[in-house]
Amino acid sequence: MCVASRYVGEEKRALAGVLSIRGAQDEEPPDPQLMRLDNMLLAEGVSGPEKGGGASAVAAAAAAAVGGTGNDNSVEHSDYRAKLTQIRQIYHTELEKYEQACNEFTTHVMNLLREQSRTRPISPKEIERMVSIIHRKFSSIQMQLKQSTCEAVMILRSRFLDARRKRRNFNKQATEILNEYFYSHLSNPYPSEEAKEELAKKCSITVSQVSNWFGNKRIRYKKNIGKFQEEANMYAARTAVNATSASAQGSQANSPSTPNSAGESPRSLY
DNA sequence: TACGATGATTGTAT
DNA sequence: ATACAATCATCGTA
């Protein structure tokens, strides 16, 4: 339970994203801002045709963002689509409501003006001005609706696109390979691009996942070396065994209590 | 269910 | 552009 509360931070992020779009052009030009909102709503399939073409596009993007794991997320897709259609329906009904209210209000004002025209002269220019004022007011309200709809879509998107939600631990073999590289290059645990590609291939993960792994590993190892001492010793011993079995000589007893001694140029991590 | 481990993202400094 | 640091969101386990 309390699942909703855990999403608050993420919603704040999504909201911040939307607000930053608004803030980017805060300089009182209503048209580009409105255009952006309209474009986004159209791209997300909210304001477009009733069929959810945009939804499937976003779902495909989400699937692509998750990466090579070609899992069947049809459940989540339908969940996403359901929520998007819900947003779309709310958006359309609200928009229609505003449209109708605008029309009613203008006719009401027109009637008032017509009534007043019996007691005082009213120029057509004045009427025109009134109408345009009313329309401006209502279009600003519509813009708010579009804004909040965009926010809702952004939140929905972030919920489905955020790869942190789909996190899966790497399999044992992959972490073995990564750890082996890390501890055998402890003096300089910064694999080159080629090395990363090699590791990625061996572990069946992407290069950026390798980069993430090394980034996390470096910082967490540095954070407290004591916690990783055992692991370090284990991998150091393993590589030592491999080396001796490969060369079949060198009878020195090696139990490196300090894994840092393995490298030539220490201190690169500190 | 609480908590540590872990992969991913975000923000900042270089 | 890359690394680091902090943080998020989930997983695995006691």
Side-chain angles (χ1 to χ4, degrees):
Chain A
M1 51 184 70
C2 263
V3 176
S5 71
R6 308 203 64 178
Y7 295 149
V8 167
E10 152 204 332
E11 296 187 355
K12 254 196 307 198
R13 282 205 307 281
L15 195 82
V18 172
L19 290 183
S20 77
I21 290 172
R22 167 191 221 152
Q25 42 198 206
D26 222 346
E27 292 278 351
E28 182 85 321
D31 281 351
Q33 155 77 349
L34 187 63
M35 258 175 53
R36 281 187 88 127
L37 289 175
D38 278 334
N39 284 340
M40 176 177 169
L41 290 175
L42 219 100
E44 301 300 335
V46 173
S47 60
E50 271 302 316
K51 272 307 185 172
S56 63
V58 170
V66 170
T69 64
N71 292 352
D72 183 6
N73 308 334
S74 59
V75 177
E76 301 196 3
H77 286 186
S78 62
D79 198 14
Y80 180 92
R81 286 188 53 169
K83 289 187 169 143
L84 192 69
T85 51
Q86 193 178 338
I87 290 174
R88 187 168 57 220
Q89 279 171 359
I90 292 171
Y91 172 77
H92 278 130
T93 56
E94 290 293 303
L95 202 62
E96 205 168 323
K97 214 157 47 171
Y98 291 157
E99 201 87 40
Q100 191 179 338
C102 181
N103 287 338
E104 281 177 12
F105 193 67
T106 44
T107 57
H108 182 240
V109 169
M110 295 279 264
N111 286 341
L112 282 183
L113 286 176
R114 209 169 301 146
E115 216 168 292
Q116 282 201 3
S117 69
R118 287 205 290 259
T119 60
R120 70 179 177 93
I122 291 180
S123 68
K125 202 119 185 172
E126 195 173 340
I127 295 176
E128 195 180 321
R129 216 164 55 79
M130 270 315 230
V131 170
S132 83
I133 286 171
I134 292 168
H135 281 178
R136 262 211 298 280
K137 279 282 182 223
F138 272 90
S139 73
S140 86
I141 293 173
Q142 277 191 5
M143 187 148 117
Q144 278 186 319
L145 171 66
K146 286 174 181 177
Q147 178 100 34
S148 60
T149 305
C150 274
E151 284 174 19
V153 173
M154 291 288 286
I155 290 166
L156 189 62
R157 262 174 83 87
S158 78
R159 215 167 262 183
F160 278 80
L161 256 56
D162 191 346
R164 281 176 293 199
R165 294 189 178 282
K166 321 246 182 204
R167 188 177 80 70
R168 297 285 179 271
N169 289 349
F170 299 152
N171 60 43
K172 194 83 176 172
Q173 192 177 351
T175 54
E176 294 266 317
I177 292 167
L178 293 168
N179 273 317
E180 199 164 319
Y181 187 100
F182 180 79
Y183 286 112
S184 63
H185 299 72
L186 199 54
S187 59
N188 185 35
Y190 298 86
S192 65
E193 192 61 28
E194 300 161 17
K196 283 183 191 171
E197 286 173 17
E198 178 93 13
L199 287 168
K201 188 176 276 185
K202 277 200 226 173
C203 300
S204 312
I205 59 178
T206 68
V207 172
S208 24
Q209 283 180 306
V210 174
S211 297
N212 287 339
W213 191 91
F214 273 90
N216 283 322
K217 192 70 180 183
R218 281 193 300 263
I219 188 66
R220 284 165 184 164
Y221 179 83
K222 185 176 80 172
K223 200 90 175 169
N224 61 352
I225 297 174
K227 222 130 216 154
F228 291 91
Q229 190 75 30
E230 195 181 342
E231 192 177 63
N233 290 338
M234 184 185 120
Y235 281 100
R238 183 177 307 184
T239 57
V241 165
N242 286 348
T244 54
S245 72
S247 63
Q249 48 187 255
S251 56
Q252 289 286 40
N254 39 11
S255 60
S257 59
T258 152
N260 262 345
S261 61
E264 323 305 330
S265 59
R267 185 137 326 167
S268 64
L269 255 188
Y270 315 100

PDB file of all heavy atoms in Angstrom, chain A residues 24-53:
ATOM      1  N   ALA A  24       9.891  28.515 -20.165  1.00  0.00           N
ATOM      2  CA  ALA A  24      10.894  28.820 -21.174  1.00  0.00           C
ATOM      3  C   ALA A  24      10.482  30.015 -22.010  1.00  0.00           C
ATOM      4  O   ALA A  24      11.319  30.745 -22.517  1.00  0.00           O
ATOM      5  CB  ALA A  24      11.111  27.611 -22.071  1.00  0.00           C
ATOM      6  N   GLN A  25       9.184  30.191 -22.153  1.00  0.00           N
ATOM      7  CA  GLN A  25       8.730  31.323 -22.960  1.00  0.00           C
ATOM      8  C   GLN A  25       7.648  32.098 -22.206  1.00  0.00           C
ATOM      9  O   GLN A  25       6.541  32.257 -22.673  1.00  0.00           O
ATOM     10  CB  GLN A  25       8.218  30.853 -24.299  1.00  0.00           C
ATOM     11  CG  GLN A  25       7.379  29.606 -24.175  1.00  0.00           C
ATOM     12  CD  GLN A  25       7.216  28.896 -25.485  1.00  0.00           C
ATOM     13  OE1 GLN A  25       6.276  28.208 -25.706  1.00  0.00           O
ATOM     14  NE2 GLN A  25       8.154  29.090 -26.378  1.00  0.00           N
ATOM     15  N   ASP A  26       8.056  32.518 -21.080  1.00  0.00           N
ATOM     16  CA  ASP A  26       7.113  33.201 -20.207  1.00  0.00           C
ATOM     17  C   ASP A  26       6.857  34.626 -20.693  1.00  0.00           C
ATOM     18  O   ASP A  26       6.026  35.318 -20.137  1.00  0.00           O
ATOM     19  CB  ASP A  26       7.692  33.244 -18.783  1.00  0.00           C
ATOM     20  CG  ASP A  26       6.600  32.944 -17.769  1.00  0.00           C
ATOM     21  OD1 ASP A  26       5.409  32.984 -18.156  1.00  0.00           O
ATOM     22  OD2 ASP A  26       6.943  32.703 -16.622  1.00  0.00           O
ATOM     23  N   GLU A  27       7.533  35.028 -21.731  1.00  0.00           N
ATOM     24  CA  GLU A  27       7.583  36.435 -22.094  1.00  0.00           C
ATOM     25  C   GLU A  27       6.323  36.923 -22.789  1.00  0.00           C
ATOM     26  O   GLU A  27       6.417  37.659 -23.761  1.00  0.00           O
ATOM     27  CB  GLU A  27       8.792  36.691 -22.983  1.00  0.00           C
ATOM     28  CG  GLU A  27      10.103  36.539 -22.248  1.00  0.00           C
ATOM     29  CD  GLU A  27      10.442  37.782 -21.468  1.00  0.00           C
ATOM     30  OE1 GLU A  27       9.741  38.807 -21.636  1.00  0.00           O
ATOM     31  OE2 GLU A  27      11.388  37.725 -20.694  1.00  0.00           O
ATOM     32  N   GLU A  28       5.149  36.437 -22.363  1.00  0.00           N
ATOM     33  CA  GLU A  28       3.893  37.038 -22.805  1.00  0.00           C
ATOM     34  C   GLU A  28       3.526  36.800 -24.266  1.00  0.00           C
ATOM     35  O   GLU A  28       2.652  37.469 -24.800  1.00  0.00           O
ATOM     36  CB  GLU A  28       3.984  38.555 -22.529  1.00  0.00           C
ATOM     37  CG  GLU A  28       2.769  39.381 -22.867  1.00  0.00           C
ATOM     38  CD  GLU A  28       1.740  39.399 -21.772  1.00  0.00           C
ATOM     39  OE1 GLU A  28       1.522  38.365 -21.148  1.00  0.00           O
ATOM     40  OE2 GLU A  28       1.134  40.459 -21.551  1.00  0.00           O
ATOM     41  N   PRO A  29       4.155  35.873 -24.967  1.00  0.00           N
ATOM     42  CA  PRO A  29       3.627  35.561 -26.299  1.00  0.00           C
ATOM     43  C   PRO A  29       2.706  34.359 -26.194  1.00  0.00           C
ATOM     44  O   PRO A  29       3.165  33.245 -26.012  1.00  0.00           O
ATOM     45  CB  PRO A  29       4.879  35.201 -27.106  1.00  0.00           C
ATOM     46  CG  PRO A  29       5.877  34.741 -26.067  1.00  0.00           C
ATOM     47  CD  PRO A  29       5.355  35.084 -24.706  1.00  0.00           C
ATOM     48  N   PRO A  30       1.420  34.596 -26.317  1.00  0.00           N
ATOM     49  CA  PRO A  30       0.462  33.509 -26.095  1.00  0.00           C
ATOM     50  C   PRO A  30       0.475  32.487 -27.222  1.00  0.00           C
ATOM     51  O   PRO A  30       0.199  31.324 -27.003  1.00  0.00           O
ATOM     52  CB  PRO A  30      -0.884  34.231 -26.031  1.00  0.00           C
ATOM     53  CG  PRO A  30      -0.666  35.563 -26.662  1.00  0.00           C
ATOM     54  CD  PRO A  30       0.798  35.840 -26.726  1.00  0.00           C
ATOM     55  N   ASP A  31       0.819  32.888 -28.403  1.00  0.00           N
ATOM     56  CA  ASP A  31       0.669  31.986 -29.544  1.00  0.00           C
ATOM     57  C   ASP A  31       1.653  30.808 -29.543  1.00  0.00           C
ATOM     58  O   ASP A  31       1.206  29.669 -29.666  1.00  0.00           O
ATOM     59  CB  ASP A  31       0.793  32.774 -30.849  1.00  0.00           C
ATOM     60  CG  ASP A  31      -0.498  33.496 -31.171  1.00  0.00           C
ATOM     61  OD1 ASP A  31      -1.508  33.229 -30.469  1.00  0.00           O
ATOM     62  OD2 ASP A  31      -0.509  34.314 -32.084  1.00  0.00           O
ATOM     63  N   PRO A  32       2.926  31.031 -29.426  1.00  0.00           N
ATOM     64  CA  PRO A  32       3.850  29.872 -29.443  1.00  0.00           C
ATOM     65  C   PRO A  32       3.569  28.897 -28.324  1.00  0.00           C
ATOM     66  O   PRO A  32       3.653  27.682 -28.509  1.00  0.00           O
ATOM     67  CB  PRO A  32       5.233  30.510 -29.296  1.00  0.00           C
ATOM     68  CG  PRO A  32       4.998  31.902 -28.904  1.00  0.00           C
ATOM     69  CD  PRO A  32       3.638  32.279 -29.330  1.00  0.00           C
ATOM     70  N   GLN A  33       3.218  29.432 -27.187  1.00  0.00           N
ATOM     71  CA  GLN A  33       2.906  28.557 -26.051  1.00  0.00           C
ATOM     72  C   GLN A  33       1.704  27.687 -26.375  1.00  0.00           C
ATOM     73  O   GLN A  33       1.723  26.471 -26.166  1.00  0.00           O
ATOM     74  CB  GLN A  33       2.643  29.448 -24.830  1.00  0.00           C
ATOM     75  CG  GLN A  33       1.762  28.831 -23.773  1.00  0.00           C
ATOM     76  CD  GLN A  33       2.524  27.825 -22.960  1.00  0.00           C
ATOM     77  OE1 GLN A  33       3.633  27.441 -23.307  1.00  0.00           O
ATOM     78  NE2 GLN A  33       1.928  27.397 -21.871  1.00  0.00           N
ATOM     79  N   LEU A  34       0.669  28.322 -26.880  1.00  0.00           N
ATOM     80  CA  LEU A  34      -0.533  27.562 -27.228  1.00  0.00           C
ATOM     81  C   LEU A  34      -0.219  26.542 -28.314  1.00  0.00           C
ATOM     82  O   LEU A  34      -0.701  25.412 -28.290  1.00  0.00           O
ATOM     83  CB  LEU A  34      -1.623  28.532 -27.709  1.00  0.00           C
ATOM     84  CG  LEU A  34      -2.991  27.900 -27.958  1.00  0.00           C
ATOM     85  CD1 LEU A  34      -3.550  27.345 -26.657  1.00  0.00           C
ATOM     86  CD2 LEU A  34      -3.948  28.924 -28.539  1.00  0.00           C
ATOM     87  N   MET A  35       0.626  26.944 -29.238  1.00  0.00           N
ATOM     88  CA  MET A  35       0.989  26.023 -30.311  1.00  0.00           C
ATOM     89  C   MET A  35       1.713  24.802 -29.758  1.00  0.00           C
ATOM     90  O   MET A  35       1.467  23.671 -30.186  1.00  0.00           O
ATOM     91  CB  MET A  35       1.879  26.729 -31.324  1.00  0.00           C
ATOM     92  CG  MET A  35       1.121  27.141 -32.574  1.00  0.00           C
ATOM     93  SD  MET A  35       2.150  28.074 -33.680  1.00  0.00           S
ATOM     94  CE  MET A  35       3.566  26.994 -33.871  1.00  0.00           C
ATOM     95  N   ARG A  36       2.576  25.035 -28.829  1.00  0.00           N
ATOM     96  CA  ARG A  36       3.299  23.907 -28.231  1.00  0.00           C
ATOM     97  C   ARG A  36       2.333  22.942 -27.571  1.00  0.00           C
ATOM     98  O   ARG A  36       2.429  21.732 -27.734  1.00  0.00           O
ATOM     99  CB  ARG A  36       4.296  24.413 -27.186  1.00  0.00           C
ATOM    100  CG  ARG A  36       5.557  24.948 -27.769  1.00  0.00           C
ATOM    101  CD  ARG A  36       6.509  25.255 -26.644  1.00  0.00           C
ATOM    102  NE  ARG A  36       7.303  24.085 -26.315  1.00  0.00           N
ATOM    103  CZ  ARG A  36       8.640  24.101 -26.259  1.00  0.00           C
ATOM    104  NH1 ARG A  36       9.283  25.206 -26.511  1.00  0.00           N
ATOM    105  NH2 ARG A  36       9.310  23.024 -25.948  1.00  0.00           N
ATOM    106  N   LEU A  37       1.408  23.508 -26.789  1.00  0.00           N
ATOM    107  CA  LEU A  37       0.434  22.656 -26.112  1.00  0.00           C
ATOM    108  C   LEU A  37      -0.368  21.863 -27.130  1.00  0.00           C
ATOM    109  O   LEU A  37      -0.565  20.657 -26.992  1.00  0.00           O
ATOM    110  CB  LEU A  37      -0.487  23.513 -25.247  1.00  0.00           C
ATOM    111  CG  LEU A  37       0.147  24.112 -23.996  1.00  0.00           C
ATOM    112  CD1 LEU A  37      -0.819  25.029 -23.294  1.00  0.00           C
ATOM    113  CD2 LEU A  37       0.592  23.012 -23.053  1.00  0.00           C
ATOM    114  N   ASP A  38      -0.831  22.590 -28.154  1.00  0.00           N
ATOM    115  CA  ASP A  38      -1.633  21.907 -29.170  1.00  0.00           C
ATOM    116  C   ASP A  38      -0.842  20.804 -29.851  1.00  0.00           C
ATOM    117  O   ASP A  38      -1.335  19.692 -30.045  1.00  0.00           O
ATOM    118  CB  ASP A  38      -2.112  22.932 -30.206  1.00  0.00           C
ATOM    119  CG  ASP A  38      -3.349  23.653 -29.714  1.00  0.00           C
ATOM    120  OD1 ASP A  38      -4.083  23.066 -28.894  1.00  0.00           O
ATOM    121  OD2 ASP A  38      -3.582  24.798 -30.132  1.00  0.00           O
ATOM    122  N   ASN A  39       0.390  21.126 -30.180  1.00  0.00           N
ATOM    123  CA  ASN A  39       1.223  20.119 -30.849  1.00  0.00           C
ATOM    124  C   ASN A  39       1.410  18.893 -29.987  1.00  0.00           C
ATOM    125  O   ASN A  39       1.322  17.764 -30.457  1.00  0.00           O
ATOM    126  CB  ASN A  39       2.589  20.721 -31.195  1.00  0.00           C
ATOM    127  CG  ASN A  39       2.499  21.646 -32.386  1.00  0.00           C
ATOM    128  OD1 ASN A  39       1.550  21.568 -33.159  1.00  0.00           O
ATOM    129  ND2 ASN A  39       3.463  22.531 -32.523  1.00  0.00           N
ATOM    130  N   MET A  40       1.660  19.138 -28.713  1.00  0.00           N
ATOM    131  CA  MET A  40       1.898  17.999 -27.843  1.00  0.00           C
ATOM    132  C   MET A  40       0.636  17.159 -27.696  1.00  0.00           C
ATOM    133  O   MET A  40       0.693  15.927 -27.769  1.00  0.00           O
ATOM    134  CB  MET A  40       2.348  18.482 -26.470  1.00  0.00           C
ATOM    135  CG  MET A  40       2.498  17.325 -25.520  1.00  0.00           C
ATOM    136  SD  MET A  40       3.095  17.758 -23.920  1.00  0.00           S
ATOM    137  CE  MET A  40       2.798  16.191 -23.092  1.00  0.00           C
ATOM    138  N   LEU A  41      -0.489  17.835 -27.499  1.00  0.00           N
ATOM    139  CA  LEU A  41      -1.737  17.086 -27.345  1.00  0.00           C
ATOM    140  C   LEU A  41      -2.022  16.275 -28.597  1.00  0.00           C
ATOM    141  O   LEU A  41      -2.494  15.141 -28.529  1.00  0.00           O
ATOM    142  CB  LEU A  41      -2.892  18.047 -27.049  1.00  0.00           C
ATOM    143  CG  LEU A  41      -2.832  18.692 -25.677  1.00  0.00           C
ATOM    144  CD1 LEU A  41      -3.937  19.709 -25.507  1.00  0.00           C
ATOM    145  CD2 LEU A  41      -2.929  17.626 -24.592  1.00  0.00           C
ATOM    146  N   LEU A  42      -1.713  16.865 -29.734  1.00  0.00           N
ATOM    147  CA  LEU A  42      -1.930  16.149 -30.982  1.00  0.00           C
ATOM    148  C   LEU A  42      -0.981  14.962 -31.083  1.00  0.00           C
ATOM    149  O   LEU A  42      -1.372  13.864 -31.464  1.00  0.00           O
ATOM    150  CB  LEU A  42      -1.703  17.100 -32.161  1.00  0.00           C
ATOM    151  CG  LEU A  42      -2.694  16.877 -33.300  1.00  0.00           C
ATOM    152  CD1 LEU A  42      -3.783  17.924 -33.216  1.00  0.00           C
ATOM    153  CD2 LEU A  42      -1.997  16.915 -34.638  1.00  0.00           C
ATOM    154  N   ALA A  43       0.269  15.201 -30.723  1.00  0.00           N
ATOM    155  CA  ALA A  43       1.264  14.132 -30.821  1.00  0.00           C
ATOM    156  C   ALA A  43       0.915  12.970 -29.895  1.00  0.00           C
ATOM    157  O   ALA A  43       1.179  11.814 -30.213  1.00  0.00           O
ATOM    158  CB  ALA A  43       2.647  14.683 -30.472  1.00  0.00           C
ATOM    159  N   GLU A  44       0.332  13.293 -28.758  1.00  0.00           N
ATOM    160  CA  GLU A  44      -0.010  12.236 -27.809  1.00  0.00           C
ATOM    161  C   GLU A  44      -1.337  11.579 -28.145  1.00  0.00           C
ATOM    162  O   GLU A  44      -1.784  10.684 -27.438  1.00  0.00           O
ATOM    163  CB  GLU A  44      -0.069  12.802 -26.394  1.00  0.00           C
ATOM    164  CG  GLU A  44       1.217  13.419 -25.928  1.00  0.00           C
ATOM    165  CD  GLU A  44       2.362  12.412 -25.914  1.00  0.00           C
ATOM    166  OE1 GLU A  44       2.095  11.207 -25.801  1.00  0.00           O
ATOM    167  OE2 GLU A  44       3.511  12.840 -26.053  1.00  0.00           O
ATOM    168  N   GLY A  45      -1.973  12.067 -29.176  1.00  0.00           N
ATOM    169  CA  GLY A  45      -3.230  11.470 -29.569  1.00  0.00           C
ATOM    170  C   GLY A  45      -4.395  11.863 -28.678  1.00  0.00           C
ATOM    171  O   GLY A  45      -5.398  11.176 -28.623  1.00  0.00           O
ATOM    172  N   VAL A  46      -4.246  12.989 -27.978  1.00  0.00           N
ATOM    173  CA  VAL A  46      -5.329  13.420 -27.098  1.00  0.00           C
ATOM    174  C   VAL A  46      -6.334  14.264 -27.872  1.00  0.00           C
ATOM    175  O   VAL A  46      -7.538  14.062 -27.776  1.00  0.00           O
ATOM    176  CB  VAL A  46      -4.766  14.238 -25.910  1.00  0.00           C
ATOM    177  CG1 VAL A  46      -5.891  14.821 -25.085  1.00  0.00           C
ATOM    178  CG2 VAL A  46      -3.894  13.346 -25.057  1.00  0.00           C
ATOM    179  N   SER A  47      -5.825  15.188 -28.641  1.00  0.00           N
ATOM    180  CA  SER A  47      -6.728  16.085 -29.355  1.00  0.00           C
ATOM    181  C   SER A  47      -6.958  15.639 -30.794  1.00  0.00           C
ATOM    182  O   SER A  47      -7.739  16.232 -31.507  1.00  0.00           O
ATOM    183  CB  SER A  47      -6.148  17.499 -29.364  1.00  0.00           C
ATOM    184  OG  SER A  47      -4.892  17.506 -30.007  1.00  0.00           O
ATOM    185  N   GLY A  48      -6.287  14.584 -31.200  1.00  0.00           N
ATOM    186  CA  GLY A  48      -6.411  14.131 -32.577  1.00  0.00           C
ATOM    187  C   GLY A  48      -7.679  13.334 -32.808  1.00  0.00           C
ATOM    188  O   GLY A  48      -8.678  13.552 -32.124  1.00  0.00           O
ATOM    189  N   PRO A  49      -7.649  12.406 -33.754  1.00  0.00           N
ATOM    190  CA  PRO A  49      -8.815  11.563 -34.032  1.00  0.00           C
ATOM    191  C   PRO A  49      -9.108  10.637 -32.858  1.00  0.00           C
ATOM    192  O   PRO A  49      -8.225  10.321 -32.060  1.00  0.00           O
ATOM    193  CB  PRO A  49      -8.382  10.756 -35.267  1.00  0.00           C
ATOM    194  CG  PRO A  49      -6.878  10.800 -35.250  1.00  0.00           C
ATOM    195  CD  PRO A  49      -6.529  12.128 -34.652  1.00  0.00           C
ATOM    196  N   GLU A  50     -10.330  10.164 -32.813  1.00  0.00           N
ATOM    197  CA  GLU A  50     -10.768   9.369 -31.659  1.00  0.00           C
ATOM    198  C   GLU A  50      -9.940   8.105 -31.481  1.00  0.00           C
ATOM    199  O   GLU A  50      -9.744   7.629 -30.377  1.00  0.00           O
ATOM    200  CB  GLU A  50     -12.235   8.991 -31.816  1.00  0.00           C
ATOM    201  CG  GLU A  50     -13.182  10.026 -31.229  1.00  0.00           C
ATOM    202  CD  GLU A  50     -12.939  10.270 -29.753  1.00  0.00           C
ATOM    203  OE1 GLU A  50     -12.760   9.302 -29.010  1.00  0.00           O
ATOM    204  OE2 GLU A  50     -12.920  11.450 -29.351  1.00  0.00           O
ATOM    205  N   LYS A  51      -9.499   7.542 -32.600  1.00  0.00           N
ATOM    206  CA  LYS A  51      -8.720   6.309 -32.479  1.00  0.00           C
ATOM    207  C   LYS A  51      -7.367   6.597 -31.833  1.00  0.00           C
ATOM    208  O   LYS A  51      -6.754   7.608 -32.119  1.00  0.00           O
ATOM    209  CB  LYS A  51      -8.506   5.698 -33.874  1.00  0.00           C
ATOM    210  CG  LYS A  51      -9.653   4.777 -34.270  1.00  0.00           C
ATOM    211  CD  LYS A  51      -9.900   3.721 -33.195  1.00  0.00           C
ATOM    212  CE  LYS A  51     -10.945   2.728 -33.630  1.00  0.00           C
ATOM    213  NZ  LYS A  51     -11.049   1.629 -32.683  1.00  0.00           N
ATOM    214  N   GLY A  52      -6.939   5.693 -30.987  1.00  0.00           N
ATOM    215  CA  GLY A  52      -5.719   5.920 -30.219  1.00  0.00           C
ATOM    216  C   GLY A  52      -4.459   5.588 -30.975  1.00  0.00           C
ATOM    217  O   GLY A  52      -3.696   4.718 -30.582  1.00  0.00           O
ATOM    218  N   GLY A  53      -4.212   6.269 -32.077  1.00  0.00           N
ATOM    219  CA  GLY A  53      -2.958   6.054 -32.794  1.00  0.00           C
ATOM    220  C   GLY A  53      -1.780   6.541 -31.978  1.00  0.00           C
ATOM    221  O   GLY A  53      -0.746   5.903 -31.930  1.00  0.00           O
TER     222      GLY A  53
END
